[in-house]
Amino acid sequence: GDSVTQMEGPVTLSEEACLTINCTYTATGYPSLFWYVQYPGEGLQLLLKATKADDKGSNKGFEATYRKETTSFHLEKGSVQVSDSAVYFCALRSGGYQKVTFGTGTKLQVIP
Amino acid sequence: EAGVAQSPRYKIIEKRQSVAFWCNPISGHATLYWYQQILGQGPKLLIQFQNNGVVDDSQLPKDRFSAERLKGVDSTLKIQPAKLEDSAVYLCASSSLKGATNTEAFFGQGTRLTVV
């Protein structure tokens, strides 16, 4: 079945450092790919998405590129802020009824 | 636009008791999902409705969990009887259909269930 594998956390960075959170997937067909973010005490929010190969999703300074050849969708940000501290989930949507499958999440902590 | 509403926000019950969660999706969204998120893990899909029909319940423990979506709008998820391992956050999400494609899912804040 479909699956998403994310790098384990927690990831601790200093403010203004570069961020990469790795995500790879296994799916039949051509899934859509997503990054969701969960801030402390809040629900899941869509951060960015890409629906076909080579698409780049971007939002709030975060970017991720749909790489079909490596089945990856790594999340990147050039300069993180304390307010980016949250748990980040990689997800894919595929199949006839477009089931959404999540990774296990990566906790990011940014320290001043 | 109002978001996905869930209630209650928190619930503590003893094992073997029953509990029900309620979800009101975004108006007009045809697809409704219930996820279980155990602490430290990613959300796991329990059941997916399209309008008022079930399209995926392969990971729903049907001996104790049940869900319904009356009139294709609100939904309830029930656990009876609860076990300790059911302690988790139960997330409801909804998405709209554009043709045959679902848009991204919007999530409620979840119900945190503690079984003691």
Side-chain angles (χ1 to χ4, degrees):
Chain A
D2 298 344
S3 66
V4 176
T5 302
Q6 291 182 234
M7 62 186 287
E8 288 198 18
V11 174
T12 302
L13 295 174
S14 298
E15 207 165 20
E16 298 184 4
C18 294
L19 168 72
T20 299
I21 300 178
N22 291 335
C23 171
T24 57
Y25 66 89
T26 302
T28 54
Y30 302 96
S32 295
L33 302 175
F34 305 86
W35 278 100
Y36 280 84
V37 59
Q38 190 169 36
Y39 297 104
E42 298 186 17
L44 279 166
Q45 303 173 27
L46 179 67
L47 180 60
L48 54 83
K49 67 178 181 181
T51 57
K52 60 183 188 295
D54 300 325
D55 268 2
K56 179 184 282 189
S58 61
N59 187 25
K60 300 182 181 180
F62 290 89
E63 293 183 340
T65 302
Y66 190 142
R67 301 286 188 199
K68 186 170 181 294
E69 64 276 12
T70 55
T71 62
S72 65
F73 192 54
H74 304 323
L75 182 67
E76 299 176 326
K77 187 173 186 182
S79 176
V80 294
Q81 306 300 313
V82 173
S83 56
D84 294 326
S85 298
V87 181
Y88 292 83
F89 293 92
C90 186
L92 67 83
R93 186 181 69 205
S94 68
Y97 287 106
Q98 294 141 54
K99 173 181 173 179
V100 180
T101 302
F102 285 84
T104 54
T106 302
K107 183 175 182 179
L108 170 66
Q109 184 176 10
V110 181
I111 54 178
Chain B
E1 177 181 80
V4 176
Q6 289 188 247
S7 67
R9 286 295 310 277
Y10 305 93
K11 190 75 177 178
I12 301 174
I13 62 172
E14 294 183 350
K15 59 183 178 184
R16 291 186 290 273
Q17 285 188 323
S18 62
V19 64
F21 313 127
W22 175 81
C23 173
N24 185 12
I26 292 173
S27 178
H29 278 193
T31 305
L32 186 147
Y33 315 79
W34 282 103
Y35 284 86
Q36 180 193 58
Q37 187 178 14
I38 292 173
L39 187 64
Q41 299 182 17
K44 181 182 85 171
L45 180 69
L46 293 176
I47 190 166
Q48 179 176 340
F49 293 93
Q50 192 155 302
N51 297 307
N52 59 348
V54 175
V55 298
D56 189 333
D57 63 357
S58 55
Q59 298 192 93
L60 186 74
K62 298 180 185 65
D63 57 335
R64 298 184 301 106
F65 285 64
S66 65
E68 60 181 7
R69 188 181 186 196
L70 298 175
K71 301 180 181 179
V73 182
D74 293 6
S75 178
T76 55
L77 176 69
K78 297 179 182 177
I79 308 175
Q80 182 179 12
K83 293 185 175 181
L84 295 177
E85 59 260 35
D86 298 332
S87 295
V89 176
Y90 291 84
L91 298 167
C92 180
S94 69
S95 62
S96 62
L97 273 172
K98 287 187 178 178
T101 303
N102 273 300
T103 64
E104 63 265 25
F106 293 84
F107 283 80
Q109 292 210 299
T111 296
R112 183 178 296 277
L113 173 67
T114 303
V115 182
V116 298

